[in-house]
């Protein structure tokens, strides 16, 4: 009976989203072990399996129902025609898809790209952007090492993800346009199986809880009693802070969210 109801969550095996994905699942209260080279692991405390996959495969796995939930960069979804649900942005894995050219290039904006060649691994997002801007340019599809295309004269510009910007700097490239932004996102099926709906809802609730909790801090400290009025204005808490008397009557402790 449990086998049917087991939820499968697909996350990236090795890469930029792995750590954030594992951290989220742990913070959601899932208890599991991870070992290098394992393709999946089962949770000890809930009927949940975690699958470790290449990020590019995750949308298909979710769409086909092999996985019930998945974590991918929204940029990966933007490149696909999959009918899946974007359930929750996860606030990690931030990057942006940018158009860049060699530092000494005369190309200064998207308008200068008419008739030029732009190398990218993200042809759909780029084509959409160019259409929007009414620019006709040639898209050169590369699967990797896009950043070296201008130096090799394979392209006049590139359109690639940037997070720290160090890859661009190393390759003497500068950004001239921002195409889109991306972050990790929790995805699910459009119409999940009936017997799984309840657990999926519960997991989503927990994921939202983890997201919410990240916005708050719980602080506690001691202070002289006569500073209390001033301090409560600074740390008002959700409703009002908890104030606890100390053994020394001149001081109190304050607890506040
Ligand atoms: O093996 P698998 O296919 O799973 O891994 P992958 O190599 O395809 O993925 P990975 O780990 O590189 O990226 C996974 C996801 O992380 C992407 O889909 C994005 O949503 C997100 N992400 C965030 C990034 C970056 N930042 C990023 N900077 N993905 C890729 N990059 C690349 C970029 O293409 C460029 O080559 O990193 C380089 C630039 O980085 P900076 O830091 O030098 O600017
Ligand atoms: Zn990939």
């Amino acid at each position: 009976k449990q086998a049917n109801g087991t939820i499968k969550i697909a996350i990236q095996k090795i890469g930029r989203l792995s750590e954030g994905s594992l951290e989220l699942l742990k913070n959601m209260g899932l208890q599991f072990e991870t070992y290098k080279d394992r393709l999946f692991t089962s949770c000890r405390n809930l009927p949940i399996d975690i699958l470790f996959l290449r990020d590019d495969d995750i949308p298909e796995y979710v769409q086909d129902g092999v996985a019930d939930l998945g974590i991918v960069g929204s940029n990966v979804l933007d490149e696909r025609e999959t009918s899946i649900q974007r359930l929750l942005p996860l606030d990690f894995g931030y990057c942006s898809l940018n158009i860049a050219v060699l530092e000494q290039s005369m190309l200064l904006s998207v308008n200068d790209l008419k008739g030029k060649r732009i190398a990218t691994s993200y042809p759909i997002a780029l084509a959409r952007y160019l259409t929007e801007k009414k620019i006709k340019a040639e898209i050169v599809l590369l699967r990797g090492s896009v950043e070296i295309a201008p130096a090799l004269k394979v392209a006049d510009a590139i359109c690639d993800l940037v997070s720290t910007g160090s890859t661009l700097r190393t390759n003497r490239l500068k950004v001239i346009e921002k195409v889109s932004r991306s972050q990790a996102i929790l995805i699910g099926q459009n119409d999940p199986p009936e017997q799984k709906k309840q657990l999926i809802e519960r997991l989503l609730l927990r994921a939202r809880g983890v997201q919410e909790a990240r916005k708050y801090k719980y602080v506690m400290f001691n202070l002289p009693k006569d500073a209390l009025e001033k301090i409560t204005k600074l740390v008002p808490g959700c409703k009002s802070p908890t104030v606890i008397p100390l053994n020394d009557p001149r001081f109190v402790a304050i607890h506040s969210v």
Side-chain angles (χ1 to χ4, degrees), residues 73-138:
S74 55
N75 56 293
V76 172
L77 299 177
D78 294 343
E79 286 299 306
R80 281 177 174 67
E81 286 294 319
T82 39
S83 55
I84 47 183
Q85 259 199 308
R86 296 174 181 231
L87 296 171
L88 185 69
L90 295 175
D91 212 24
F92 67 88
Y94 280 104
C95 55
S96 53
L97 190 62
N98 289 344
I99 297 179
V101 295
L102 285 170
E103 275 164 8
Q104 72 274 19
S105 171
M106 303 297 281
L107 307 174
L108 298 178
S109 80
V110 65
N111 293 315
D112 298 333
L113 294 171
K114 282 192 184 106
K116 303 287 183 208
R117 293 161 306 160
I118 311 169
T120 190
S121 307
Y122 301 92
I124 308 278
L126 175 58
R128 198 180 301 136
Y129 178 77
L130 292 174
T131 307
E132 217 170 83
K133 298 281 173 188
K134 300 191 169 60
I135 302 291
K136 284 214 165 68
E138 185 190 334

Side-chain angles (χ1 to χ4, degrees), residues 35-256:
Y35 299 104
K36 221 173 124 232
D37 298 329
R38 283 297 155 86
L39 298 179
F40 85 94
T41 186
S42 297
C43 288
R44 286 194 296 278
N45 58 336
L46 287 164
I48 295 171
D49 289 343
I50 298 162
L51 313 179
F52 301 102
L53 302 169
R54 289 203 53 187
D55 66 338
D56 318 73
D57 296 335
I58 293 174
E60 273 79 17
Y61 272 76
V62 171
Q63 183 176 309
D64 298 346
V66 179
D68 302 287
L69 296 171
I71 297 175
V72 284
S74 55
N75 56 293
V76 172
L77 299 177
D78 294 343
E79 286 299 306
R80 281 177 174 67
E81 286 294 319
T82 39
S83 55
I84 47 183
Q85 259 199 308
R86 296 174 181 231
L87 296 171
L88 185 69
L90 295 175
D91 212 24
F92 67 88
Y94 280 104
C95 55
S96 53
L97 190 62
N98 289 344
I99 297 179
V101 295
L102 285 170
E103 275 164 8
Q104 72 274 19
S105 171
M106 303 297 281
L107 307 174
L108 298 178
S109 80
V110 65
N111 293 315
D112 298 333
L113 294 171
K114 282 192 184 106
K116 303 287 183 208
R117 293 161 306 160
I118 311 169
T120 190
S121 307
Y122 301 92
I124 308 278
L126 175 58
R128 198 180 301 136
Y129 178 77
L130 292 174
T131 307
E132 217 170 83
K133 298 281 173 188
K134 300 191 169 60
I135 302 291
K136 284 214 165 68
E138 185 190 334
I139 297 177
V140 180
L141 181 61
L142 296 180
R143 284 292 163 211
S145 306
V146 170
E147 63 277 0
I148 59 171
L152 295 178
K153 300 205 167 25
V154 176
D156 307 293
I158 67 165
C159 175
D160 199 11
L161 294 177
V162 178
S163 48
T164 63
S166 69
T167 302
L168 292 185
R169 226 167 298 128
T170 309
N171 291 279
R172 301 188 168 284
L173 295 161
K174 61 177 179 190
V175 173
I176 57 167
E177 297 287 345
K178 179 169 272 176
V179 173
S180 60
R181 287 169 195 281
S182 174
Q183 64 172 297
I185 181 167
L186 184 69
I187 57 170
Q189 291 163 53
N190 278 332
D191 192 20
E194 207 51 49
Q195 79 270 27
K196 293 183 175 180
K197 276 187 179 156
Q198 206 183 352
L199 183 50
I200 290 174
E201 265 314 304
R202 228 172 97 200
L203 288 173
L204 196 55
L205 203 68
R206 285 191 186 190
R208 284 208 191 93
V210 173
Q211 295 291 93
E212 268 312 292
R214 281 170 55 169
K215 294 186 203 153
Y216 299 99
K217 285 259 185 305
Y218 190 78
V219 291
M220 15 185 175
F221 50 90
N222 297 343
L223 63 143
K225 211 171 176 181
D226 51 18
L228 193 56
E229 202 179 332
K230 249 191 207 159
I231 301 278
T232 38
K233 286 205 181 95
L234 295 174
V235 284
C238 288
K239 288 199 178 69
S240 129
T242 307
V243 180
I244 302 166
L246 295 188
N247 202 22
D248 183 335
R250 291 168 302 163
F251 290 89
V252 289
I254 195 164
H255 290 218
S256 182

